[in-house]
Amino acid sequence: MEQNNDGSLAQVRHVVLVLSGKGGVGKSTITTELALALRHAGKKVGILDVDLCGPSIPRMLSVGHTDVHQCDSGWVPVYTDAQKSLALMSIGFLLEDPDEAVVWRGPKKTALIGQFVSDVAWGELDVLLVDTPPGTSDEHLAVLENLKKHRVDGAVLVTTPQAVSTGDVRREITFCKKTGVRILGIIENMSGFVCPHCSECSNIFSKGGGEELAKLTGSVFLGSVPLDPQLSSSIEEGKDFIQSFPDSATFSAISSISQTLLNSLQMT
């Protein structure tokens, strides 16, 4: 992808949307872990959290009570590390009370998304991941509308194995085709449960729904991520799972997915 020519995304090489057809499939968890994996691969990464009604990523990265400052170029993103290799912007930083509900009508949400896209001083980034709300709503259209002058590389779709989830992702695929967004691949999350004692993986829901959907729709299957208590506790405590559990099967799955995504982006 060519570098953008103006605005806050001028030095951002790749922009990737993270989408899900329904809530509760672990989209924000996948976004967070992909960002951490890319950072550990030596990339400078940003996360734009536009899930306005459920901004959970600040907590997942343990930066939940951070003030946002402004500079001449706009809002300064919150950095999660001293090296400034992982940057984040979220509405969660703008709420005085973390328990406050965002009860806004569409135009106000759209205006804030426009500010997030145009007024955040990201600086130089290899990849910007955009964590979107579930479904296909005004927020998605607002993101695409505001990003139209800054080419979006494509979207990663997150599903769980069950048919009820993959059915919703089919609609997300239709949304991408109608709006001209390239599908970079599908990730099947919660694909089995990893026992914390013996590390055996058991299929609680089902398995293979995401891979089957990828085949049916001609999409790339990026991989499966199991339910892992170590990952869950890391997310809850705001710890870096990638750094804490490098020998786990879940680590291998996330690292493989991030590398496949990176290879795909470098070919654009």
Side-chain angles (χ1 to χ4, degrees), residues 147 164 215 226:
L147 283 172
V164 67
K215 289 178 182 177

Side-chain angles (χ1 to χ4, degrees), residues 21-71:
K22 64 189 285 94
V25 300
K27 171 183 51 59
S28 295
T29 297
I30 291 295
T31 301
T32 300
E33 296 309 315
L34 279 178
L36 291 170
L38 290 169
R39 187 187 75 177
H40 284 294
K43 304 302 178 183
K44 296 190 73 171
V45 188
I47 301 176
L48 177 57
D49 180 9
V50 294
D51 192 349
L52 302 184
C53 294
S56 53
I57 291 183
R59 176 177 175 175
M60 292 179 177
L61 291 172
S62 196
V63 287
H65 302 288
T66 308
D67 293 329
V68 172
H69 302 284
Q70 286 194 312
C71 65

Side-chain angles (χ1 to χ4, degrees), residues 188-234:
E188 181 176 297
N189 194 28
M190 305 184 195
S191 182
F193 170 75
V194 177
C195 175
H197 304 294
C198 68
S199 298
E200 182 179 345
C201 188
S202 304
N203 296 324
I204 294 178
F205 302 122
S206 59
K207 188 174 177 64
E211 186 170 10
E212 184 64 24
L213 177 62
K215 289 178 182 177
L216 289 172
T217 58
S219 306
V220 174
F221 182 64
L222 292 173
S224 302
V225 179
L227 278 167
D228 188 332
Q230 292 176 329
L231 174 58
S232 299
S233 62
S234 296

Side-chain angles (χ1 to χ4, degrees), residues 3-263:
Q3 286 193 353
N4 300 305
N5 296 319
D6 62 314
S8 64
L9 297 173
Q11 295 177 281
V12 177
R13 294 188 62 209
H14 301 289
V15 179
V16 176
L17 306 180
V18 184
L19 308 174
S20 67
K22 64 189 285 94
V25 300
K27 171 183 51 59
S28 295
T29 297
I30 291 295
T31 301
T32 300
E33 296 309 315
L34 279 178
L36 291 170
L38 290 169
R39 187 187 75 177
H40 284 294
K43 304 302 178 183
K44 296 190 73 171
V45 188
I47 301 176
L48 177 57
D49 180 9
V50 294
D51 192 349
L52 302 184
C53 294
S56 53
I57 291 183
R59 176 177 175 175
M60 292 179 177
L61 291 172
S62 196
V63 287
H65 302 288
T66 308
D67 293 329
V68 172
H69 302 284
Q70 286 194 312
C71 65
D72 292 341
S73 304
W75 285 335
V76 179
V78 172
Y79 294 97
T80 65
D81 60 331
Q83 294 76 31
K84 295 187 176 181
S85 58
L86 178 51
L88 170 65
M89 179 53 72
S90 169
I91 192 176
F93 298 136
L94 307 180
L95 301 176
E96 293 183 7
D97 181 354
D99 295 328
E100 182 181 344
V102 179
V103 187
W104 292 354
R105 294 190 184 276
K108 191 170 182 179
K109 290 181 179 180
T110 301
L112 179 62
I113 289 171
Q115 280 190 284
F116 272 0
V117 171
S118 62
D119 294 346
V120 177
W122 293 107
E124 186 177 342
L125 292 179
D126 292 301
V127 183
L128 176 65
L129 300 173
V130 183
D131 185 45
T132 65
T136 53
S137 61
D138 282 353
E139 287 96 318
H140 298 81
L141 295 174
V143 168
L144 292 174
E145 179 71 20
N146 283 281
L147 283 172
K148 65 181 180 181
K149 58 184 176 182
H150 314 284
R151 177 184 153 197
V152 175
D153 288 78
V156 170
L157 309 184
V158 182
T159 185
T160 51
Q162 310 98 304
V164 67
S165 180
T166 57
D168 288 331
V169 173
R170 284 176 185 269
R171 287 184 281 276
E172 203 78 42
I173 291 171
T174 302
F175 171 82
C176 288
K177 290 179 177 178
K178 285 184 176 180
T179 54
V181 176
R182 176 186 170 209
I183 298 172
L184 296 169
I186 296 173
I187 297 174
E188 181 176 297
N189 194 28
M190 305 184 195
S191 182
F193 170 75
V194 177
C195 175
H197 304 294
C198 68
S199 298
E200 182 179 345
C201 188
S202 304
N203 296 324
I204 294 178
F205 302 122
S206 59
K207 188 174 177 64
E211 186 170 10
E212 184 64 24
L213 177 62
K215 289 178 182 177
L216 289 172
T217 58
S219 306
V220 174
F221 182 64
L222 292 173
S224 302
V225 179
L227 278 167
D228 188 332
Q230 292 176 329
L231 174 58
S232 299
S233 62
S234 296
I235 287 291
E236 286 291 323
E237 297 167 14
K239 294 181 179 178
D240 186 341
F241 170 80
I242 303 295
Q243 187 174 42
S244 301
F245 300 101
D247 298 323
S248 70
T250 306
F251 168 88
S252 298
I254 295 169
S255 295
S256 175
I257 289 169
S258 68
Q259 189 57 55
T260 302
L261 176 61
L262 199 57
N263 291 341

